[in-house]
Amino acid sequence: MQGYSVLHPMGWDAFGLPAENAAIERGIDPADWTRHNIAKMKEQLMAMGGSFDWSREFMTCDPSFYKHTQRIFLMLYERGLAYRAESMVNYDPIDRTVLANEQVDANGFSWRSGAKVEKIRLKQWFLRITAFREALLTDLDNLVKDNRWPDRVLSMQRNWLGKSAGANFRFPITMPVKTGQAQESVHVFTTRPDTLYGAQYLALSISHPIVQIMAESLPELRAFIDSTASMPPDSKVGFLLPDVRATNPLSMLEDQPELVHESLPVYVAPYVLGDYGEGAVMGVPGHDTRDHAFWRHSRGSEPVRLVVEPSEPERRAFGNSLEASKDDVPYISEGILTSNCGKLSGFSSSQASTHIVSRLEEAGAHAEVTESWRLRDWLISRQRYWGTPIPMIHCNSCGAVPVPMDQLPVALPKVEGSWIRGKSGNPLEDAEGWVNTKCPSCGGRGKRDTDTMDTFVDSSWYYARFADPHNPDLPFGDAAAEAHLPVDVYVGGVEHAILHLLYARFISKFLATTDLWPSGGGPSNKGEPFRKLITQGMVHGKTYTDSTTGRFLKPEEVDLSEPNKPRIKRTGEPPNVSWEKMSKSKYNGVDPADCIRKYGADATRAHILFQAPVGEVLEWHEEKIVGIQRWFGRVWRVIGKVRDSYTPPYEQAQPQERSSTPSSTSPPISESDLSDAGADLWAEVQRTIHSVTHSLDKTYSLNTVVSDLIKLTNRLSSSTTTDKDDDVSPALKYHATTALLRMMAPLTPAFAEECWEALHSPISSCIADTNAQPKPQIQSSAEPQTQTKDSIFAHPFPAPSLSPIPTPITPNPFSSSSIARGEPNRNSSSSRRKKNQTCAVQENGKLRFAVEINTPPEYLLTFGDGDGGGTGGKGEKEGMGELERWVLREIWGTERGRGWFEGKGWDGVGEEEGGDGTAGKKRWKRVIVVRGGRTVNFVV
C-alpha cells in the first residue's frame, strides 16, 4: 500500500526431536506426522488472513531443501570448518541414544527409558564457528546503530561469545604413580591474576583429560561423573581427587610468602565448564562467589584467605577486609593487595596483575597474557532419525569421505516396523540397505554416517532459501541473493536470541565468503543476515494445577461456573492459577480455529495485536475480544452514516465517464467547507496518520496502532451522530473515513475490504441498518489472491499532509522540492485560524524580527522529523524535517516574513543544490527550530 515490492514468505522448520517423539508415541512415521501437522497449521494461518507468499513455501524436512543443507555442510568441510572429534555426552544405554541435559531427570535417569544415564565420550561432528568469533563480536556494533537489534539480544550474544582478557597460569600437578603420569601440569585461565595469592584449590571439569584418566581406575569417580548429568549447573558438589595435589606457580619465585608454598587440593566440580579456558579454575574463595560457595560446601569452616581489600575510598562503602572476613562474604571487586601478598602488599589490582604475570613469564613460561572465549565450536551431531543426514561416508582405508555433490541429497530411508512402535536406538544404524554403500574415493566398502544434524543447522540458512526457493542446483543464486538479502525485518522469539541468531549470523558470514553471496550485502552489512530484528513476546494462557499434587489440570477438570472462584470438580478444592507459556502438556492452549469460528479472523487478529506490545508477554483473555467487536460495530455505523450523506465525485459522473474505482486522491474542498470543527477533525486524522505510520515504520508498537484507530473511530462516530459537528462537511467526513479504513486494512483486511465496498457501493439494504455488523469472510489463501480495482488494497496507505484540508489548492512554498514563488499560501492555517504564538526569527543567533504564527499541530510536535520541535532542525544538506517546513511556511505567510525572505534572495532557494534552477544564490546552511516553533535560527 506504500508502493514497495514486499516479500513476505512462509515455510516450516520441520525436523527435530519433539516431532520424532510425538510420532513414535503414536506409532506413526515422523514424515507423515510432520506433514499432517503442517497441513493443519497452514489451514489455520490461511484462515487468519495472513498475506504470505505461499508460492515460496517449503519445509526443511523435504529432500529438495535439505540437499542444500548438506551442500553447505560439504562447503564448510572443504574449508576445514567442519570436523569430527570426541565430546562428552549424556548416553541412555537402553535406548542407545544421546540425551540433552533437559531429558535427564533430577535423579540422573532418562526421561524416556528410565535408564540410569551415563557420561561417555563419543565421536561427533562440529562446525568451527570459533573461526568467525571476532567478526561475530565486533560486527554487533553495526547492529546497535539505529536500534536495528534490541539491546538485550546484543548483550546476550556478547555474553555468549564471552571474550575475556586475562592470563594463563601453569599449575604443576602431582598424581598417583599408578596412573602412569606422576607429574602433570594444569593450565588455568583467569581474568583476575591479582588474586593468585588467594588460590586455595584447583577444580577440574568432568571432561578434563586428567579426570578421564583417573576415572578409568576409580569406580567412585566414574559414578560421580555419571551422577553429574542430573546436577544443576551451579551445583556446589565436588569430588576430591585422592593423592592429587597442585602447586601455586608463585612458589617458583624467590622471596614469596610461605602461604604460596602450600600444596593445593584438586577437585572435580560440575560448575567448571569443560569448554571454557582449559576446563580448570583456580579456586579463590575469598574473592569469587561460586568458589566461596564450593569451598564452604567442601571444606566447612576452614578459613578463607583474603588477598585483596577495598581501597580507602571503597572501604567506607564496603567495610574493611576484617569485617568482610567476619561476615564470611567474598570481596569480588578490585582493590589493593593485603599483607598476605608479601612484597606486593599495597599494590593496586592492575599493578599486581602486570607484575605477577611478568615475573612468572621471566621465570620460565609459568604464565602468559592471553584472552579466552566462552564460545566453543558448534556440536551438530544428533543420534536421532528425524534430521538432515550428515553427508559423509566412513571407509576403513580412506577414513571420512564426503559424499559427492552430484549424489545429494542423502535422503532419509523410510522407517518401518518396530522402531515406529518404540524400539530403542537410532533406526539409521539398522537400515543396512541405506548404511552400507561404496566409498566415493576408493570404491571399497563404506558406511554412511548415521548421525543427523542439529535442527539449528536448517534454520541457520532457511531465510536465504526464500530468495530462490525453486533452484534445484544451488541453495540460492547470486542474483537472487543480491535482490533479496539481507532480510529487512526478521521477527522471532527472544528465546532464540543466542543460539539460533548466533548460528544464523555465522552461516550468513560464511556464505558471504563464497560465490553464493559474494557481496555479503555490501561493506556496511558485513554479511549479517538480518537488518532489523524484532523479538516477539510469548503468549501465556491461564493455567490450573492441583494444589496438592502439582498436576496440570485439563479445562474439563475445572468448574468455572464462577470464573473468579474456580474449583477442581473432583475435590471441590480451589486450584492454583497462574499464567504460563501455552503448552499442550499444561492444557492451557487455545485453538485459533475455535476463536475464528466464534469471533471472526479479523477480530481475533486485532485482539492479539491490541492486548500487548509485540515484544512483551501476551496474557490471553478471550473474553476481551468483545471490545474489538464493539469497535467494528462503530466503524460499520460510521460507514452507513457517511454513505447516506455523501456521494463521491466519481459516482456522480456519467456511467461512460466513471472510473471503476474511487479516486485515491481526495477531491478539492473549498475554503467554505472547512469549519473550525472540520479543521479539528482533519487535525485528528493527521495526528492518527502520523502516529500509526510511526508505529508501523519505527517502533512496531502494533497495540498503539489499534488504540489510535479506535480513538479516530470514536471521533468520527461523534461527528456523524452529534449536533455540534453538523457543520463538518460530508466530504471531509468521507475523506476521514477512507483514511481510517486504509489504516485498518493491514490489520483487519477482510473487515476493511467489506467496509470499503459498502462505502463505495449504491445505498442498499446492506448498510441501511447501521446497527448491523458484518460477518466478514476471508478468501481462502488456496485460491488465487487477485485484487480488483475496487479493492481497498489498490489504494495507497494514507500519507501525512501538512495542509489542514485533504488537498492543497496552491503549492506549498516550503515543500520538499522548493520554496514556491508568488503569493503566500492562502490555504495555510495562518489565513484561517487565530495567530496564537510569537515566533522569533534569528540569523546566526541574532534576532532579526518576530511575527505571529499558529501553534504547530500536535502531530508535528510529537512525530516531527529530525530534531525539530526543540533541539534543532536538520541542515539543508540532510533535508528539512516537516516541523521546520511547517514553521517556515507560516513565516512566509506573513507580510514581514515574506519581505525578509525576498530581501535575502531566498525566495527561490530549494533544499537541494540547484533544485529549482537557481544554484549559486545565497542560502542558509541550516535551519534550527526550537521551543515548538517559538524560535527559528537560520545558520548562514
Side-chain angles (χ1 to χ4, degrees):
M1 294 180 75
Q2 291 183 315
Y4 294 100
S5 176
V6 178
L7 176 57
H8 189 203
M10 176 56 69
W12 310 96
D13 190 7
F15 273 138
L17 184 62
E20 179 175 319
N21 288 338
I24 292 173
E25 289 173 7
R26 293 162 176 78
I28 303 172
D29 186 321
D32 297 335
W33 173 250
T34 299
R35 292 178 188 275
H36 168 78
N37 283 313
I38 287 175
K40 183 177 180 180
M41 286 186 281
K42 182 176 180 178
E43 182 181 354
Q44 292 174 339
L45 284 174
M46 294 197 312
M48 288 291 286
S51 58
F52 300 113
D53 183 352
W54 292 106
S55 70
R56 294 175 182 263
E57 177 190 16
F58 59 81
M59 59 187 78
T60 60
C61 63
D62 193 302
S64 65
F65 174 85
Y66 68 70
K67 70 176 287 187
H68 300 297
T69 303
Q70 293 171 337
R71 177 183 292 271
I72 291 173
F73 174 89
L74 294 178
M75 293 167 64
L76 289 159
Y77 182 79
E78 290 172 0
R79 293 267 293 273
L81 298 173
Y83 65 94
R84 200 170 184 230
E86 283 192 347
S87 176
M88 185 74 70
V89 297
N90 301 318
Y91 187 74
D92 183 328
I94 292 180
D95 274 357
R96 293 184 293 133
T97 189
V98 173
L99 302 176
N101 288 334
E102 57 269 22
Q103 296 171 314
V104 182
D105 69 19
N107 297 314
F109 292 95
S110 168
W111 68 278
R112 183 173 168 183
S113 70
K116 185 68 175 178
V117 174
E118 301 173 355
K119 285 281 189 179
I120 66 171
R121 296 187 71 83
L122 197 66
K123 277 194 173 182
Q124 302 190 87
W125 287 97
F126 293 80
L127 298 184
R128 207 180 299 275
I129 188 175
T130 53
F132 287 77
R133 62 191 183 187
E134 282 289 354
L136 290 170
L137 180 61
T138 58
D139 292 350
L140 289 174
D141 294 339
N142 287 334
L143 303 178
V144 173
K145 298 174 182 176
D146 302 320
N147 295 316
R148 288 172 57 183
W149 282 37
D151 288 340
R152 63 173 175 169
V153 173
L154 297 173
S155 177
M156 292 165 75
Q157 292 225 348
R158 284 195 181 92
N159 291 336
W160 189 261
L161 290 165
K163 183 178 181 179
S164 304
N168 259 333
F169 291 127
R170 181 166 61 85
F171 283 74
I173 297 288
T174 301
M175 297 178 64
V177 177
K178 62 182 178 180
T179 64
Q181 299 185 18
Q183 185 70 38
E184 276 282 348
S185 291
V186 170
H187 292 266
V188 174
F189 173 81
T190 179
T191 59
R192 292 290 305 276
D194 58 316
T195 64
L196 182 58
Y197 283 97
Q200 293 184 265
Y201 68 92
L202 286 192
L204 309 180
S205 70
I206 61 173
S207 61
H208 195 281
I210 289 177
V211 176
Q212 292 300 305
I213 290 172
M214 296 195 67
E216 295 176 2
S217 58
L218 284 176
E220 56 269 39
L221 175 56
R222 170 52 58 191
F224 175 80
I225 292 172
D226 291 341
S227 71
T228 61
S230 60
M231 294 180 185
D234 59 349
S235 173
K236 304 178 183 66
V237 176
F239 183 93
L240 178 62
L241 292 177
D243 303 319
V244 179
R245 306 294 289 184
T247 304
N248 193 319
L250 287 169
S251 64
M252 311 297 172
L253 304 178
E254 296 179 356
D255 301 326
Q256 293 298 310
E258 188 61 32
L259 58 86
V260 302
H261 295 283
E262 299 173 3
S263 66
L264 308 176
V266 180
Y267 287 88
V268 181
Y271 83 87
V272 180
L273 302 176
D275 54 4
Y276 182 75
E278 299 292 334
V281 301
M282 63 179 197
V284 185
H287 303 287
D288 183 272
T289 303
R290 286 184 307 174
D291 294 351
H292 184 274
F294 181 85
W295 180 260
R296 284 288 168 243
H297 185 274
S298 303
R299 312 291 288 196
S301 59
E302 194 168 327
V304 167
R305 186 186 304 154
L306 291 165
V307 297
V308 179
E309 62 184 1
S311 61
E312 190 57 39
E314 295 168 332
R315 190 185 299 276
R316 302 187 190 97
F318 184 80
N320 64 42
S321 58
L322 292 177
E323 290 173 345
S325 177
K326 189 180 297 182
D327 294 338
D328 200 29
V329 176
Y331 179 65
I332 61 176
S333 300
E334 293 187 348
I336 59 174
L337 270 61
T338 70
S339 58
N340 285 329
C341 304
K343 293 182 178 180
L344 295 189
S345 175
F347 277 50
S348 69
S349 288
S350 60
Q351 291 171 333
S353 295
T354 302
H355 183 85
I356 289 170
V357 174
S358 176
R359 288 208 58 192
L360 286 174
E361 283 181 322
E362 294 171 0
H366 294 285
E368 63 176 342
V369 175
T370 187
E371 63 184 27
S372 183
W373 294 74
R374 181 183 178 189
L375 180 70
R376 285 297 178 266
D377 285 338
W378 176 10
L379 191 161
I380 66 165
S381 286
R382 297 294 181 269
Q383 290 69 40
R384 291 286 183 175
Y385 167 76
W386 195 232
T388 298
I390 292 177
M392 299 296 292
I393 294 172
H394 299 282
C395 172
N396 289 333
S397 301
C398 307
V401 181
V403 173
M405 293 283 190
D406 60 4
Q407 293 181 20
L408 300 179
V410 176
L412 285 170
K414 186 78 173 176
V415 292
E416 299 173 350
S418 59
W419 182 79
I420 292 179
R421 294 188 293 274
K423 180 183 176 182
S424 64
N426 181 351
L428 295 180
E429 295 175 352
D430 300 324
E432 294 185 5
W434 182 84
V435 170
N436 295 314
T437 186
K438 290 183 178 181
C439 171
S441 179
C442 69
R445 291 184 185 181
K447 287 185 176 292
R448 295 192 187 279
D449 199 303
T450 56
D451 284 354
T452 54
M453 296 187 204
D454 178 6
T455 55
F456 278 127
V457 180
D458 304 303
S459 60
S460 70
W461 79 277
Y462 78 89
Y463 53 87
R465 182 64 176 172
F466 283 124
D468 199 5
H470 308 299
N471 191 325
D473 302 317
L474 296 171
F476 50 88
D478 57 351
E482 296 306 318
H484 297 294
L485 297 180
V487 175
D488 291 300
V489 180
Y490 191 65
V491 182
V494 73
E495 69 273 17
H496 295 305
I498 298 176
L499 296 183
H500 164 58
L501 290 175
L502 192 65
Y503 295 151
R505 294 181 63 221
F506 161 50
I507 295 299
S508 178
K509 288 180 179 295
F510 166 70
L511 294 173
T513 68
T514 71
D515 292 338
L516 293 175
W517 192 28
S519 75
S524 62
N525 188 63
K526 298 184 178 180
E528 291 290 338
F530 315 120
R531 291 191 193 278
K532 176 73 177 179
L533 173 67
I534 301 173
T535 52
Q536 66 195 32
M538 305 300 294
V539 180
H540 285 196
K542 188 173 283 189
T543 309
Y544 301 98
T545 54
D546 189 312
S547 56
T548 303
T549 65
R551 182 176 64 88
F552 290 105
L553 300 172
K554 298 178 181 179
E556 57 268 24
E557 296 180 276
V558 183
D559 180 0
L560 295 175
S561 55
E562 294 184 68
N564 295 327
K565 297 180 179 180
R567 296 283 175 180
I568 302 174
K569 291 180 180 180
R570 183 176 56 83
T571 64
E573 295 296 318
N576 292 329
V577 182
S578 61
W579 291 93
E580 299 188 31
K581 177 183 173 181
M582 285 189 177
S583 167
K584 290 181 180 179
S585 63
K586 297 176 182 178
Y587 309 110
N588 62 351
V590 175
D591 188 339
D594 292 340
C595 288
I596 292 170
R597 280 192 293 270
K598 284 192 280 186
Y599 308 105
D602 281 3
T604 303
R605 286 164 58 115
H607 172 68
I608 292 172
L609 298 177
F610 186 46
Q611 285 303 294
V614 170
E616 296 182 12
V617 168
L618 188 160
E619 293 184 348
W620 182 257
H621 293 275
E622 184 174 310
E623 64 275 10
K624 293 184 179 180
I625 299 183
V626 67
I628 298 296
Q629 291 182 310
R630 286 196 293 265
W631 170 41
F632 284 5
R634 288 193 297 275
V635 174
W636 188 249
R637 289 190 289 274
V638 167
I639 298 299
K641 294 287 187 181
V642 171
R643 186 68 183 86
D644 286 344
S645 62
Y646 181 73
T647 301
Y650 86 99
E651 292 184 14
Q652 301 171 12
Q654 295 299 317
Q656 63 272 20
E657 301 172 351
R658 186 182 303 168
S659 168
S660 61
T661 181
S663 171
S664 59
T665 302
S666 305
I669 296 178
S670 66
E671 187 74 9
S672 60
D673 285 335
L674 194 64
S675 62
D676 288 342
D680 289 341
L681 173 60
W682 194 248
E684 179 67 16
V685 171
Q686 293 304 303
R687 188 206 68 78
T688 304
I689 293 173
H690 270 271
S691 179
V692 168
T693 303
H694 184 77
S695 295
L696 293 176
D697 287 351
K698 304 295 183 184
T699 65
Y700 304 96
S701 305
L702 302 182
N703 59 317
T704 65
V705 172
V706 178
S707 177
D708 286 334
L709 296 177
I710 291 174
K711 291 177 183 177
L712 181 57
T713 301
N714 294 339
R715 179 68 180 84
L716 281 167
S717 180
S718 173
S719 73
T720 58
T721 57
T722 61
D723 293 337
K724 74 172 187 175
D725 283 328
D726 281 348
D727 57 345
V728 178
S729 73
L732 191 59
K733 293 177 185 177
Y734 166 78
H735 296 311
T737 302
T738 62
L740 169 66
L741 294 181
R742 284 180 285 156
M743 286 186 283
M744 288 179 65
L747 280 66
T748 59
F751 179 66
E753 188 76 272
E754 186 163 354
C755 290
W756 187 264
E757 181 180 352
L759 184 63
H760 297 102
S761 62
I763 299 174
S764 63
S765 58
C766 73
I767 63 170
D769 180 6
T770 56
N771 290 317
Q773 184 173 336
K775 296 186 180 299
Q777 300 296 320
I778 295 181
Q779 178 187 30
S780 170
S781 296
E783 303 168 8
Q785 295 190 13
T786 57
Q787 293 179 351
T788 66
K789 288 186 178 181
D790 292 325
S791 170
I792 191 173
F793 294 100
H795 296 267
F797 195 84
S801 168
L802 292 180
S803 174
I805 58 177
T807 301
I809 297 174
T810 62
N812 179 351
F814 284 90
S815 67
S816 59
S817 60
S818 67
I819 300 175
R821 300 173 185 247
E823 294 300 313
N825 184 356
R826 299 304 177 187
N827 289 320
S828 165
S829 55
S830 62
S831 64
R832 289 240 6 112
R833 295 160 59 193
K834 180 181 177 181
K835 297 177 175 63
N836 55 10
Q837 176 172 300
T838 299
C839 176
V841 179
Q842 300 177 349
E843 181 180 2
N844 291 337
K846 296 181 179 180
L847 179 66
R848 297 308 185 197
F849 61 94
V851 292
E852 292 291 313
I853 64 171
N854 289 299
T855 301
E858 179 185 352
Y859 64 84
L860 285 182
L861 297 177
T862 305
F863 299 103
D865 291 350
D867 300 318
T871 59
K874 292 181 177 180
E876 240 189 354
K877 198 170 183 180
E878 298 169 302
M880 286 189 295
E882 290 191 25
L883 176 62
E884 286 79 4
R885 282 196 288 269
W886 192 94
V887 173
L888 264 62
R889 188 191 66 187
E890 289 289 310
I891 298 172
W892 173 273
T894 67
E895 183 176 351
R896 178 73 179 87
R898 184 173 177 231
W900 187 71
F901 279 122
E902 292 178 343
K904 302 291 289 185
W906 291 348
D907 58 317
V909 179
E911 285 187 38
E912 303 299 331
E913 181 71 28
D916 62 350
T918 58
K921 282 194 174 185
K922 181 181 178 183
R923 67 183 65 214
W924 59 81
K925 295 179 181 177
R926 189 181 181 204
V927 180
I928 303 173
V929 176
V930 296
R931 299 174 60 232
R934 290 181 172 84
T935 302
V936 179
N937 182 30
F938 292 87
V939 180
V940 298

